[in-house]
Amino acid sequence: MPRVVLSVNLSEQFAAGLDSFDVEASNVRQMLRALDKLHPGLGSHIEDKMAIAIDGTIYPHPERQPIGPNSEVVVIPRLPGG
């Protein structure tokens, strides 16, 4: 299962301090739904305000990106600008 890694701020705000965990998902959309089930509001917050790095590649709008079974998904703040 992919491992999701959260920033300290997100882990404290949504996941009672848990900063990483495994979720069953094969794409980002499934991951966001799984996160919302585990920690209500987390998936939608990530979708609205965060970027995602999958195995070291950053995706500012990754909704349809696939996630491999051994992937590491890191949630990071979106960088402003164009």
Side-chain angles (χ1 to χ4, degrees), residues 7-8 12 19 21 24 27 29 48 58:
S7 67
V8 171
E12 289 175 355
D19 65 355
F21 38 89
E24 200 163 319
N27 62 48
R29 188 173 306 273
D48 292 343
I58 298 172

Side-chain angles (χ1 to χ4, degrees), residues 4-21 39 42 45-46 50 75:
V4 177
V5 180
L6 302 177
S7 67
V8 171
N9 186 32
L10 282 180
S11 70
E12 289 175 355
Q13 185 177 357
F14 290 98
L18 183 64
D19 65 355
S20 67
F21 38 89
H39 306 287
L42 177 58
H45 180 82
I46 291 169
M50 307 299 285
V75 179

